[in-house]
Amino acid sequence: MFAAGPAAVLPAVPSTVDSITPIELRMHLEFLSSEELGGRYTLSPNFAIAARYLASHLKAYGFRGAGQNGEFLQTFKVVSAKPDITKSSLELTFGDKANAYHFGDFYMLTIASGEAQGPVVFIGNGISSKSQQHDDYAGVDVKGKIVLLVPGTPAGVDASRLADNEQGEEAARAHGAVGILQIPPARILDFMKSKGFQDRAASREVVRLAREAEGRLPSLTLGPDLAEKLLAACGLDLKTAYDTKQKLQSKKIDVSAKIAVAMQTTFTTTQNVAAILDGTDPKLKNEYVAFSAHYDHLKTGTNGQYYPGADDDGSGTTAVLTIAHALSLERPKRSVLIMFHAGEELGLLGSEYNTDYAPVVPLENIVADLNIDMIGRSKAAGDEDPLDEHLTNANTVYLVGSNRISKELHQISEETNSEYQKLKLDYYYNDPSNPERIYYRSDHWNYAKHGVPIIFYFDGTSVDYHKPTDTIDKIDFSKLTNVTRLVFETGWRIANLDHRLSKTP
C-alpha cells in the first residue's frame, strides 16, 4: 500500500456508492448494446438515439448541459474519406529507373487528396522537438521534397510530451515538405500481410475532424514489400527501422517520387454528450473532476451483422452513467464533468475536439480525468485461449497513467482501493515500453497531453474484442459493479480534497 503523501487524511466516501448496483448497470447496458442501436457507430443514425438516452438520464439526475447554449450535446463536424484506388498512384525513380506502383503496394490512411513530386529525403521518425533535444530535421533540407518517415518514438524521447507540431505531418509541413511516404506502423504490419487486407483497405473509411481536412499533405503508407525496398535505399530494413534503441540517421537518398492521392469525402455532424453537476463549495466549484467513456462502437457489417460493444465500451458508458447518478445523490465540493465521447474508435475524435478545439470547460480547471474503456469482462479459470492472455480475472483491473502526471493521484487511487474495493490493480500496460501503447489509445490521452492528471481503467482485450460476440451475456456484473464503485470512490475523494492534486510525477 502506498502512503497518500499530502492527502494523508482523505475524505470519507458516502453511502451513496451503494446506489451503484448490478441491476442499474444491467438496465443501461441492455439498452446500449441492443440490436436496435445497431452497434452505436459514430456516423449511424442510431448513434443519436444513444446520445439522447444518456443526455435524458443526466438531465433527470440534475446535471446541466455543458454544450453550446446549455445543450447536453456537444456537436462537431467530421469528414469521412474512402480511397479512390483508380486515381491514386505512386511512381518512384531509383537513380534513373522509374517504377510505377499501385494500390496494394501502398495504402491511403488519410483524408486528403492531392499530388506531389520531388526528391525523397529519409527523415527517421520525423520528430522535431527542441524541448527534448531531438530533431530529425537537423542538417537536412526537406523544402519542396517528399519525406520518408518511420512512425514511432526513439529511445530518449517521451512521446507523452510531444506536441502535435513536433511530429508526423505537422512537423513535415512546418519544415516545408510537400508530401509524405510512411513506413507502416509496426503494430499493423502483421495485419497488412494477412489475407483480405487489401480488399478491406480498399473500402476502409477514414474519419477525422472536419476542421483538419484543409491544408494536409498528400500521404501514402507503404506496404511491407515496398517499405523494405525504400528502406534498402537508406541502408536499413524494417527490423532495424523499428528498433527504437537506435537513432535513425536522416539523409537524402537517390530516389525521387511522384504521388497522387485521391479520396472520396463526405462531411457530417456527430456529438459528444457533456454535462456538469455543480459543486457545493463556492470556490472549489470552479474546478472539475471529469469522468469519461466513449459510447461509440463499430459499424454494422455489410451482411447486417451488428457489433453490440457490450464491453467496448458499453461497460464504461454504463459505469459513468451510474457514477453520475450516485454523485447526484450527494454532491461533492468540486463540480463534476461527465463526458461521453464520440468517435473514439475512429481515432479519439470526440475527446480531441473537446480538448484541442472547443473545451466545454477550461482545461486548466479540470483537476483529473478518470476514463473508463472496457471493465466488464473476467477471464475464467482454465481459459487458455491465446486471445484471452491479457484479459483480467474477476478481481483485477488494469490501471494506466495514474502516476504519469500526478504521483499524488496514484497514491490516492492505491489507498482508496486498499480501503474499499481491495481489487488487484495491475500496471502491466502502464509500462512506457509496453508495445501496445495503451496510454495513447483511449480518450484520456487527449486530456493527459494537456497536462490533466488521468487514470485509465481497462480489463484487457478478449477473444471477443471488436467482434459481434462482444455481448451482454459475457459481462461479469459483479466485477463491473466493483470497478465502477472504485472509480466513484476515487473521484469522490479527488472532488473533496482541500487542495488541488499536485502534478509532481
Side-chain angles (χ1 to χ4, degrees):
M1 185 176 76
F2 291 79
V9 179
L10 294 174
V13 173
S15 61
T16 50
V17 67
D18 296 335
S19 69
I20 299 171
T21 65
I23 293 174
E24 184 175 7
L25 289 160
R26 182 181 289 275
M27 175 188 70
H28 296 312
L29 191 52
E30 282 184 345
F31 179 80
L32 292 169
S33 63
S34 66
E35 186 172 1
E36 287 78 5
L37 287 191
R40 309 185 308 277
Y41 179 57
T42 293
L43 303 185
S44 71
N46 300 33
F47 191 57
I49 299 173
R52 186 54 59 192
Y53 179 88
L54 298 171
S56 64
H57 278 82
L58 291 169
K59 184 176 182 180
Y61 298 156
F63 283 72
R64 59 183 175 88
Q68 190 173 14
N69 300 320
E71 297 290 332
F72 283 86
L73 305 184
Q74 181 193 30
T75 58
F76 57 95
K77 290 184 178 180
V78 296
V79 56
S80 55
K82 291 184 177 181
D84 188 335
I85 62 176
T86 62
K87 296 179 181 178
S88 300
S89 62
L90 172 63
E91 181 181 288
L92 294 175
T93 301
F94 295 83
D96 57 0
K97 184 179 180 181
N99 299 272
Y101 299 94
H102 307 282
F103 187 83
D105 299 314
F106 60 81
Y107 299 95
M108 290 87 85
L109 306 179
T110 180
I111 57 173
S113 299
E115 298 180 355
Q117 60 180 332
V120 176
V121 178
F122 179 63
I123 204 66
N125 298 119
I127 293 171
S128 180
S129 174
K130 290 183 179 179
S131 63
Q132 299 195 50
Q133 300 179 332
H134 183 102
D135 191 358
D136 290 321
Y137 289 87
V140 292
D141 178 13
V142 302
K143 290 182 179 179
K145 300 178 176 64
I146 293 170
V147 296
L148 172 66
L149 62 85
V150 180
T153 309
V157 175
D158 184 350
S160 67
R161 292 168 48 213
L162 286 174
D164 290 342
N165 62 3
E166 293 180 326
Q167 59 189 319
E169 181 183 333
E170 288 197 29
R173 187 168 61 240
H175 286 83
V178 295
I180 298 173
L181 296 174
Q182 178 176 271
I183 302 301
R187 64 185 177 85
I188 70 167
L189 190 64
D190 289 340
F191 291 110
M192 297 182 84
K193 295 178 179 178
S194 64
K195 183 179 179 181
F197 177 84
Q198 184 171 330
D199 290 339
R200 294 192 300 272
S203 59
R204 184 176 185 269
E205 186 176 45
V206 177
V207 184
R208 296 290 183 267
L209 296 179
R211 62 192 307 150
E212 297 178 352
E214 298 298 325
R216 298 181 72 97
L217 299 180
S219 174
L220 296 177
T221 297
L222 305 175
D225 292 341
L226 188 52
E228 288 279 23
K229 187 172 183 178
L230 258 180
L231 284 172
C234 308
L236 298 168
D237 56 23
L238 281 172
K239 183 178 180 180
T240 54
Y242 291 146
D243 184 1
T244 59
K245 295 179 182 178
Q246 65 169 0
K247 185 182 186 303
L248 297 173
Q249 187 61 49
S250 301
K251 64 180 76 173
K252 182 179 179 181
I253 57 178
D254 192 18
V255 179
S256 61
K258 182 184 291 187
I259 297 173
V261 181
M263 304 296 292
Q264 301 171 332
T265 57
T266 304
F267 291 83
T268 189
T269 298
T270 188
Q271 65 284 315
N272 294 326
V273 180
I276 292 171
L277 183 70
D278 290 311
T280 60
D281 187 280
K283 293 182 179 179
L284 296 180
K285 68 183 295 184
N286 294 319
E287 297 178 357
Y288 302 83
V289 176
F291 297 84
S292 63
H294 74 89
Y295 72 109
D296 65 304
H297 194 50
L298 303 179
K299 190 176 185 179
T300 299
T302 55
N303 60 355
Q305 192 170 36
Y306 87 106
Y307 294 73
D311 193 33
D312 184 15
D313 185 27
S315 63
T317 301
T318 59
V320 171
L321 195 57
T322 57
I323 288 169
H325 186 199
L327 287 165
S328 72
L329 300 176
E330 184 174 337
R331 290 187 296 152
K333 292 179 180 179
R334 286 179 175 81
S335 295
V336 172
L337 172 64
I338 298 294
M339 288 297 308
F340 292 111
H341 296 114
E344 190 270 357
E345 300 284 8
L346 299 171
L348 316 186
L349 302 186
S351 55
E352 180 186 1
Y353 181 78
N354 185 53
T355 55
D356 290 12
Y357 299 108
V360 293
V361 301
L363 294 182
E364 61 269 21
N365 291 1
I366 300 178
V367 173
D369 172 43
L370 305 184
N371 184 48
I372 310 174
D373 190 350
M374 301 164 56
I375 56 168
R377 290 293 297 270
S378 295
K379 184 175 182 177
D383 181 355
E384 297 183 359
D385 192 312
L387 294 177
D388 288 339
E389 179 182 2
H390 294 296
L391 181 62
T392 51
N393 63 30
N395 194 50
T396 304
V397 64
Y398 293 116
L399 264 62
V400 179
S402 61
N403 64 346
R404 298 283 186 105
I405 299 173
S406 172
K407 184 181 294 184
E408 184 182 5
L409 175 59
H410 177 79
Q411 293 168 336
I412 290 172
S413 168
E414 282 279 341
E415 183 166 325
T416 300
N417 179 62
S418 296
E419 186 174 348
Y420 293 102
Q421 300 306 318
K422 298 177 173 58
L423 298 168
K424 178 184 177 182
L425 305 183
D426 192 322
Y427 297 98
Y428 171 75
Y429 287 112
N430 193 49
D431 184 348
S433 64
N434 189 290
E436 292 296 321
R437 293 170 57 83
I438 295 294
Y439 184 60
Y440 307 97
R441 288 175 51 191
S442 191
D443 291 308
H444 58 272
W445 163 240
N446 279 321
Y447 294 85
K449 74 182 185 183
H450 288 282
V452 176
I454 67 95
I455 303 178
F456 177 47
Y457 302 83
F458 176 55
D459 61 21
T461 56
S462 73
V463 66
D464 302 304
Y465 177 66
H466 280 193
K467 293 180 181 177
T469 51
D470 180 7
T471 50
I472 192 171
D473 59 294
K474 296 173 182 174
I475 296 296
D476 179 347
F477 280 95
S478 177
K479 175 178 180 175
L480 179 55
T481 301
N482 294 337
V483 178
T484 303
R485 288 183 174 189
L486 174 62
V487 180
F488 169 89
E489 290 156 351
T490 304
W492 173 269
R493 287 187 149 174
I494 298 166
N496 286 281
L497 285 177
D498 61 6
H499 63 280
R500 185 165 177 158
L501 287 173
S502 65
K503 289 190 179 181
T504 50

